[in-house]
């Protein structure tokens, strides 16, 4: 019972991540890749993402602090960041990345700074949510992680 | 899991090497590939990937690589792989720009996927492996191979599964042109080898420059169309060579020639590479020069042996053809060089030059660099630098055509490149190269290879210095580790660059004496080349086309000259032939350049450098000797530079010594063996 309840919780949590737009289809692809051979694939890749993306964000932040802004470089960094974010299905983060790039193309410094702050926020939020999700999933049992949103 | 099993279940078990600097993407890709039941190996560094592949190319069937990587440009890696290893490579990128996709294609990619990758797309990538296997051995082999090799799994498997072994075998056995009695054996061997990939493979034949030269001479003698492996083998008189070896080499050679004539730049790079690879790879598996981080040095440029340069260089066809076509780069500056180059170029003629080329290439580590440079440079700079310079700018393929040899100084290829370049440059006299002017026809040859690189090297400089062999010098430093073919291309490219650097020297063709000056520019070139990676690639392609045609025309003419030159050189040259080549091609400029280049390319050529250096003394005399045969061509050109030539020799010696010192400090100078790679290399570079 407890188990079932937990599983349901995990399921709901997962569902909400999708409905709230934190995650997208890509995340499901990741889940599909998880199997017996790779039982913690999703969590592993998410961990990897957060480890790597923090560095990227730092780089971008540093670049943003320099003036004048080298939009090209910023765009390149962001493209890279966007790539990895979309690889794990971090939807909101990806959207902010896109917005950032738009501002870069327009040479809008203010816009870039603003968007970057939002991006960091989204990035942190998702991280917390995913951590909670994974933790609960672990407790509930491995099956949950592979379930699809209903 | 034995190979047999794998082949039975192909595409399952297909061995993929995934390269992506982003760990998240890499892991995701790995997951997807595993899901497709492929056997995955990952690395986040392009350089590491190259090492792994060079170490054992047969361990992998397919490579998937990201385009934007910090240590090396994906396109560059692509080129190198294509040339060196003839492995199918799939590009991966978050950008879907048409030009990028185009670039991928021109650099030889089998496919271009967008990130994030979908599993559906990955499920089909095995087709590229099969396709490549099918395309490699021409009809003859294929049918026999397939028939025999089938382990009950059908062609595909045979072709696909033991990719490595098949490939290798393919090289040796693929074309079983002379099947008769060998078929049974071969098939058995093949199957055997396929099944036991690494353990029982026949030792891969290394098509050294010497070997290739003999091969080309034999082919020439028989006539390209009528040449059959058996006869070629008999003519060559090499004991250790088997008919299968010759057969597969011939096939590649033919492809190379075809590529040259059809002016398909992209294929040039690819095919050449395989062709080149044959010779070069074996020897220079470690040419790392190409690692230039993704400078794609333009597809045309043969992969740098180091990094992939060898590939290109190796393919003689590539060299002569590839490089030449675009060559135009031959540094106008060196009148002497030109003569040399021209000689070289003439040699490069698809049929004839090939022989010569190998020699040249050997001596020209620089060319390798050039190639690299070209490659890298080409892509980016393709047309830019030349805009100003016109005469020098290689970028404009048209330019090259005029200038033809712009590369004259391409020392890297030492013989080849320089010659090719020279030839190329010569025609370009219009531009002011004086030297080139006489040899419009020559242009065809090398430029392709070198011009590409030169362009990049010094765009700015090119315009002026075009003439300066200096251009070439710049290349050497850059990267042309690639075997000769590359060198040429590189040289060409470098020429461009060199030329630019020339201004220092004194611009114009008469700068032969600038050889000494070359050293300086070379350094500059190096720097520039390094940065320009992609340029060459782009440039070269453009250049190649036009020059190619020219080449063809003049081939005949030059053949004779070149043959002589080469022969002379060869005889003069040291074992490597570098000496001979060196003297021939660059008059030392090349040598000089080569050395410069060596730093990057020459990892493998290390030996060569030394060899090359030595002849400096001999070069002078040699050069003079060389000049003679080409008197027709070169005299005109050299007339003015005569004074320079002499000077250059002296300076060359100086430079040589300088270079030598430098070389010593450099890591592996590809020079030796590398240069020899084959005439191919040069051509292939392009």
């Amino acid at each position: 019972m407890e188990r079932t309840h937990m599983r349901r919780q995990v399921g709901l949590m997962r569902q909400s991540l999708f409905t709230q737009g934190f995650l997208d289809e890509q995340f499901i692809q990741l889940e599909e890749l998880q199997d017996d051979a790779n039982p913690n694939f999703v969590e592993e890749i998410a961990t990897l993402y957060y480890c790597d993306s923090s560095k990227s964000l730092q780089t971008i932040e540093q670049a943003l602090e320099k003036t004048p802004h080298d939009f090209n470089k910023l765009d390149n960094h962001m493209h890279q960041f966007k790539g990895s974010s979309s690889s794990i299905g971090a939807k909101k983060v990806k959207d902010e990345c896109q917005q950032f790039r738009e501002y870069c193309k327009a040479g809008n410094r203010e816009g870039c700074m603003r968007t970057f702050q939002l991006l960091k926020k989204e990035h942190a939020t998702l991280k917390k949510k995913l951590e909670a999700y994974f933790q609960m999933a672990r407790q509930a049992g491995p099956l949950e992680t592979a379930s699809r949103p209903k | 899991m034995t190979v047999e099993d794998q082949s039975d279940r192909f595409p399952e078990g297909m061995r993929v090497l995934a390269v992506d600097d982003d760990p998240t993407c890499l892991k995701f890709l790995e997951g997807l590939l595993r899901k497709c039941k492929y056997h995955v190996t990952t690395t986040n560094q392009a350089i590491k990937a190259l090492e792994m592949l060079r170490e054992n190319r047969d361990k992998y069937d397919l490579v998937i690589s990201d385009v934007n990587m910090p240590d090396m440009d994906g396109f560059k890696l692509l080129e190198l792989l294509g040339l060196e290893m003839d492995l199918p490579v799939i590009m991966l990128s978050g950008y879907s720009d048409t030009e990028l996709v185009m670039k991928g294609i021109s650099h030889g990619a089998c496919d271009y996927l967008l990130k994030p990758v979908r599993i559906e797309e990955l499920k089909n990538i095995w087709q590229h492996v099969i396709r490549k296997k099918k395309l490699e051995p021409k009809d003859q082999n294929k049918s026999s191979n397939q028939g025999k090799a089938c382990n009950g799994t059908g062609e595909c498997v045979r072709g696909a599964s033991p990719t490595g072994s098949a490939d290798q075998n393919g090289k040796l056995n693929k074309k079983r042109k002379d099947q008769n009695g060998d078929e049974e054996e071969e098939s058995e061997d093949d199957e055997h080898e396929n099944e036991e990939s690494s353990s029982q493979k026949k030792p891969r034949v290394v098509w050294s420059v010497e070997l290739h030269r003999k091969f080309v001479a034999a082919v020439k003698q028989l006539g390209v169309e009528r040449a059959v492996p058996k006869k070629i083998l008999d003519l060559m008189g090499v004991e250790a060579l088997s008919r299968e070896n010759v057969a597969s080499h011939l096939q590649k050679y033919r492809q190379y020639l075809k590529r040259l004539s059809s002016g398909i730049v992209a294929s040039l790079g690819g095919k050449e590479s395989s062709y080149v690879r044959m010779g070069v790879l074996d020897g220079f598996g470690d040419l790392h020069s190409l690692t230039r981080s993704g400078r794609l040095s333009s597809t045309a440029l043969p992969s740098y042996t180091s990094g992939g340069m060898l590939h290109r260089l190796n393919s003689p066809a590539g060299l002569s053809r590839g490089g030449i076509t675009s060559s135009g780069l031959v540094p106008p500056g060196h009148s002497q060089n030109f003569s040399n180059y021209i000689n070289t170029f003439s040699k490069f003629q698809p049929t004839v030059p090939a022989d010569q080329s190998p020699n040249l290439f050997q001596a020209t580590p620089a060319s390798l660099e050039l190639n690299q440079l070209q490659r890298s440079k080409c892509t980016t700079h393709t047309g830019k630098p030349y805009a100003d310079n016109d005469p020098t700018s290689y970028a404009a393929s048209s330019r090259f055509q005029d200038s033809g040899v712009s590369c004259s100084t391409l020392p890297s290829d030492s013989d080849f490149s320089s010659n090719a370049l020279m030839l190329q440059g010569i025609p370009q006299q219009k531009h002011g190269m004086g030297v080139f002017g006489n040899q419009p026809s020559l242009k065809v040859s090398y430029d392709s290879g070198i011009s590409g690189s030169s362009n990049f090297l010094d765009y700015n400089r090119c315009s002026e210095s075009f003439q300066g062999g200096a251009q070439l010098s710049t290349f050497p430093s850059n990267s042309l580790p690639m075997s000769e073919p590359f060198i040429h291309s590189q040289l060409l490219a470098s020429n461009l660059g060199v030329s630019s650097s020339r201004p220092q020297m004194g611009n114009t063709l008469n700068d032969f004496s600038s050889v000494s000056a070359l050293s300086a520019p070379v350094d500059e070139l190096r720097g520039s080349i390094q940065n320009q990676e992609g340029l060459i690639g782009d440039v070269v392609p453009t250049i190649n086309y036009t020059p190619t045609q020219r080449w063809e025309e003049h081939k005949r003419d030059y053949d004779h000259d070149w043959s002589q030159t080469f022969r002379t050189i060869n005889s003069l040259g040291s074992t490597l032939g570098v000496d001979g080549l060196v003297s021939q091609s660059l008059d030392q400029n090349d040598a000089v350049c080569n050395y410069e280049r060596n730093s990057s390319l020459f990892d493998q050529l290390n030996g060569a450098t030394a060899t090359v250096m030595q002849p400096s003394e001999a070069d002078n005399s040699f050069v003079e000797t060389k000049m003679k045969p080409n008197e027709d061509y070169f005299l005109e050109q050299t007339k003015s530079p005569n004074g320079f030539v002499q000077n250059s020799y002296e300076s060359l010696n100086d430079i040589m010594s300088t270079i030598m010192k430098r070389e010593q400090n450099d890591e592996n100078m590809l020079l030796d063996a590398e240069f020899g790679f084959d005439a191919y290399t040069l051509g292939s570079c392009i």
Side-chain angles (χ1 to χ4, degrees):
Chain A
M1 293 315 161
E2 182 60 32
R3 205 87 197 245
T4 313
H5 175 69
M6 282 202 86
R7 284 201 190 130
R8 206 177 320 136
Q9 287 293 95
V10 174
L12 286 172
M13 188 179 241
R14 181 174 169 281
Q15 184 69 34
S16 79
L17 285 173
F18 282 104
T19 51
Q20 287 175 18
F22 286 105
L23 296 175
D24 60 18
E25 256 292 317
Q26 185 68 18
F27 193 79
I28 298 178
Q29 289 239 359
L30 291 182
E31 291 179 325
E32 282 179 351
L33 291 179
Q34 186 157 298
D35 52 21
D36 293 339
N38 292 312
N40 300 312
F41 185 74
V42 188
E43 188 168 357
E44 279 167 17
I45 204 173
T47 309
L48 204 57
Y49 166 72
Y50 272 101
C51 182
D52 182 59
S53 59
S54 327
K55 292 192 215 123
S56 300
L57 282 179
Q58 261 178 23
T59 311
I60 298 174
E61 186 140 34
Q62 281 167 10
L64 273 175
E65 277 161 17
K66 277 196 234 144
T67 48
H69 278 176
D70 182 349
F71 288 111
N72 254 343
K73 233 179 173 190
L74 284 173
D75 188 60
N76 282 339
H77 285 315
M78 191 47 76
H79 174 81
Q80 170 94 354
F81 184 76
K82 178 169 172 250
S84 51
S85 300
S86 50
S87 285
I88 68 149
K91 191 165 185 295
K92 286 197 175 176
V93 178
K94 188 178 74 170
D95 291 342
E96 291 299 333
C97 289
Q98 185 57 36
Q99 185 62 57
F100 184 92
R101 293 190 71 207
E102 302 276 325
Y103 281 127
C104 272
K105 287 199 196 107
N108 186 339
R109 194 171 170 278
E110 283 308 310
C112 283
M113 307 280 276
R114 253 201 333 265
T115 309
F116 186 69
Q117 295 307 318
L118 285 174
L119 195 150
K120 276 203 295 183
K121 199 155 106 1
E122 289 296 339
H123 183 255
T125 307
L126 180 64
K127 184 175 184 187
K128 282 203 220 83
K129 286 195 181 278
L130 281 177
E131 277 171 359
Y133 170 70
F134 287 131
Q135 191 176 13
M136 196 175 275
R138 255 182 277 128
Q139 286 173 0
L143 280 178
E144 285 320 307
T145 52
S147 66
R148 290 171 124 357
K150 306 208 168 65
Chain B
M1 184 162 36
T2 66
V3 176
E4 274 179 42
D5 291 350
Q6 281 183 347
S7 45
D8 285 346
R9 293 194 335 258
F10 189 87
E12 285 182 15
M14 183 174 80
R15 299 154 304 169
V16 184
L17 175 64
V19 190
D20 192 335
D21 64 306
D22 185 318
T24 313
C25 295
L26 188 63
K27 185 149 178 79
F28 178 57
L29 184 63
E30 184 184 10
L32 288 176
L33 291 169
R34 290 240 158 87
K35 192 83 182 171
C36 296
K37 305 255 187 37
Y38 300 141
H39 185 268
V40 190
T41 310
T42 62
T43 174
N44 62 351
Q45 287 180 13
I47 297 173
K48 186 86 182 44
L50 263 177
E51 276 173 19
M52 290 162 76
L53 285 166
R54 285 197 180 131
E55 184 189 343
N56 189 352
R57 173 247 177 276
D58 296 326
K59 252 163 83 183
Y60 307 99
D61 299 313
L62 181 78
V63 178
I64 298 186
S65 165
D66 185 27
V67 168
N68 312 95
M69 292 190 286
D71 62 336
M72 182 193 289
D73 181 33
F75 291 119
K76 175 112 168 246
L77 175 67
L78 164 62
E79 238 179 351
L80 289 179
L81 291 182
L83 282 173
E84 271 186 39
M85 290 157 221
D86 195 30
L87 262 180
V89 183
I90 294 179
M91 301 309 292
L92 207 55
S93 174
Y95 293 104
S96 63
D97 303 354
T98 308
E99 12 180 289
L100 281 179
V101 180
M102 195 52 127
K103 196 171 170 187
I105 297 172
S106 61
H107 282 77
C110 289
D111 206 345
Y112 192 104
L113 303 177
L114 291 185
K115 284 187 186 178
V117 190
R118 291 175 310 138
I119 197 163
E120 294 81 16
E121 291 172 359
L122 290 180
K123 287 224 166 97
N124 285 337
I125 57 175
W126 57 268
Q127 62 178 286
H128 300 296
V129 176
I130 303 284
R131 192 176 294 126
K132 213 153 186 118
K133 295 242 163 269
K134 285 201 173 226
L135 286 180
E136 273 218 4
K138 283 300 183 176
D139 307 332
Q140 324 147 30
N141 271 359
K142 249 188 348 178
S143 43
S144 59
N145 286 347
Q146 287 162 2
K148 292 185 201 281
C150 279
N151 304 325
T153 49
E155 301 182 352
C156 298
V157 175
R158 186 172 188 293
S161 64
T163 315
S165 53
D167 241 16
Q168 189 159 28
N169 293 340
K171 289 198 177 57
L172 304 178
N173 306 322
K174 256 188 208 174
K175 304 173 187 233
R176 309 226 211 157
K177 287 187 191 172
D178 2 282
Q179 305 174 350
N180 298 339
D182 304 323
E183 265 189 289
E184 291 301 317
E185 262 173 29
E186 287 174 14
S187 55
E188 282 171 14
D189 278 352
D190 247 3
E191 289 185 5
H192 213 46
E193 291 180 10
N194 287 338
E195 291 163 25
E196 282 145 78
S197 338
S198 24
S199 52
Q200 300 187 4
K201 270 201 230 300
K202 288 185 198 164
R204 191 187 293 222
V205 171
V206 178
W207 280 91
S208 66
V209 172
E210 266 306 302
L211 210 55
H212 182 67
R213 194 172 48 79
K214 286 191 184 160
F215 172 80
V216 179
V219 170
K220 197 183 173 197
Q221 199 172 327
L222 296 168
V224 183
E225 298 307 314
R226 291 186 314 280
V228 280
K230 180 91 172 80
K231 290 192 187 150
I232 296 172
L233 188 62
D234 292 343
L235 276 175
M236 281 173 73
V238 176
E239 301 257 329
L241 216 52
S242 76
R243 206 165 42 192
E244 294 79 58
N245 299 147
V246 177
S248 70
H249 195 67
L250 177 66
Q251 183 176 40
K252 285 190 187 247
Y253 186 66
R254 286 220 172 108
Q255 285 174 2
Y256 174 70
L257 294 181
K258 209 192 292 180
R259 263 204 298 268
L260 283 184
S261 54
S262 62
I264 296 172
V265 177
S267 52
L268 271 180
K271 295 274 171 125
E272 320 264 11
S273 47
S274 35
Y275 201 25
V276 173
R277 269 203 297 143
M278 288 191 358
V280 176
L281 290 182
D282 291 327
F284 311 103
D286 294 327
L287 286 185
H288 221 22
S289 47
L290 293 180
T291 45
R292 276 290 156 161
S293 52
R295 283 200 288 186
L296 273 187
S297 44
S298 63
T299 47
L301 292 179
S303 45
Y304 296 95
T305 41
S306 313
M309 307 249 298
L310 282 184
H311 315 307
R312 298 232 186 221
L313 291 177
N314 290 330
S315 48
L319 285 176
S320 36
R321 302 267 193 177
I324 304 193
T325 44
S326 54
S327 29
L329 291 176
V330 176
H334 296 277
S335 47
Q336 264 199 351
N337 294 329
F338 283 122
S339 40
N340 296 327
Y341 288 116
I342 302 200
N343 289 325
T344 349
F345 284 108
S346 53
K347 302 246 181 218
F348 290 130
Q349 306 275 348
T351 42
V352 179
D355 310 0
Q356 314 293 350
S357 337
N359 299 325
L360 292 177
F361 293 113
Q362 294 181 334
T364 49
S367 30
L368 284 179
E369 285 187 341
L370 286 181
N371 290 330
Q372 261 197 356
L373 292 176
Q374 296 184 335
R375 300 286 196 110
S376 46
K377 303 232 181 204
C378 292
T379 39
T380 42
H381 299 282
T382 351
K384 299 191 201 142
Y386 296 97
D388 317 319
N389 307 323
D390 256 39
T392 51
S393 51
Y394 298 104
S397 32
S398 50
R399 297 249 187 120
F400 287 122
Q401 308 202 336
D402 298 340
S403 46
V405 188
S406 47
C407 303
S408 58
T409 51
L410 295 179
S412 53
D413 291 323
S414 49
D415 301 323
F416 226 53
S417 36
S418 42
N419 293 333
L421 293 175
M422 306 247 318
L423 290 181
Q424 305 264 344
I426 302 188
Q428 295 196 353
Q429 290 198 339
K430 311 181 196 179
H431 298 292
M433 309 252 301
V435 174
F436 293 106
N438 303 323
Q439 316 276 349
S441 51
L442 293 178
K443 299 206 271 190
V444 179
S445 44
Y446 275 103
D447 297 328
S448 46
I450 312 196
S451 34
S453 38
S454 26
N455 292 328
F456 297 117
L457 292 182
D458 294 284
Y459 284 25
N460 341 323
R461 304 211 239 181
C462 294
S463 42
E464 309 184 319
S465 48
F466 215 72
Q467 302 159 8
Q471 298 183 340
L472 288 180
S473 43
T474 43
F475 283 122
S477 45
N478 297 325
S479 49
L480 295 178
M482 304 211 302
S483 34
E484 302 176 342
F486 288 106
I487 303 189
H488 289 292
S489 25
Q490 300 237 340
L491 288 176
L492 292 174
S494 49
N495 287 328
L496 293 178
V498 173
S499 37
S500 9
S501 48
R502 278 324 183 97
Q504 315 155 5
M505 308 217 323
N507 324 328
T508 58
L509 299 179
N510 302 317
D511 272 332
F512 291 111
S513 47
S514 53
V515 175
S516 40
L518 288 179
S519 323
V522 173
D523 289 337
E524 294 174 1
L525 284 176
R526 280 208 208 156
S528 46
I529 297 184
Q530 310 225 339
N531 306 326
Q532 307 190 345
E533 301 195 308
L535 294 177
I536 303 191
D538 296 337
V539 176
V540 178
T542 351
I543 303 176
N544 293 335
Y545 283 103
T546 10
T548 327
Q549 323 229 325
R550 299 232 194 139
W551 235 153
E552 301 291 330
E553 302 167 348
H554 303 286
K555 277 196 305 192
R556 308 292 176 217
D557 307 332
Y558 299 119
D559 285 354
H560 304 300
D561 294 328
W562 288 116
S563 339
Q564 280 188 337
T565 317
F566 283 97
R567 303 226 175 88
T568 325
I569 301 177
N570 291 329
S571 46
L572 290 177
S574 50
T575 40
L576 287 186
V578 170
D579 298 332
L581 292 174
V582 176
S583 40
Q584 264 193 348
S585 49
L586 301 175
D587 282 347
Q588 325 224 331
N589 286 336
D590 294 338
V592 175
C593 297
N594 295 332
Y595 294 113
E596 303 289 345
R597 293 193 270 193
N598 294 326
S599 38
S600 45
L601 298 174
F602 302 148
D603 298 337
Q604 305 198 347
L605 296 172
N606 292 333
T609 343
T611 339
V612 176
M613 303 284 279
Q614 285 157 17
S616 43
E617 320 276 6
D619 287 345
N620 287 331
S621 49
F622 194 79
V623 175
E624 294 179 40
T625 313
K626 288 196 311 182
M627 305 275 298
K628 286 172 196 155
N630 302 311
E631 274 180 64
D632 315 336
Y633 300 102
F634 307 104
L635 280 185
E636 302 177 83
Q637 298 169 0
T638 55
K639 273 181 200 154
S640 41
N642 269 337
F644 293 105
V645 174
Q646 292 306 317
N647 298 338
S648 48
Y649 285 122
E650 290 157 5
S651 50
L652 278 176
N653 287 329
D654 295 340
I655 301 180
M656 302 269 283
S657 35
T658 317
I659 297 181
M660 302 237 346
K661 286 185 201 141
R662 254 190 277 193
E663 290 300 347
Q664 289 165 4
N665 303 335
D666 285 348
E667 358 166 77
N668 324 320
M669 301 256 264
L670 293 177
L671 299 181
D672 285 355
E674 316 314 82
F675 290 108
F677 301 176
D678 311 304
Y680 301 125
T681 22
L682 288 180
S684 53
C685 292
I686 316 217

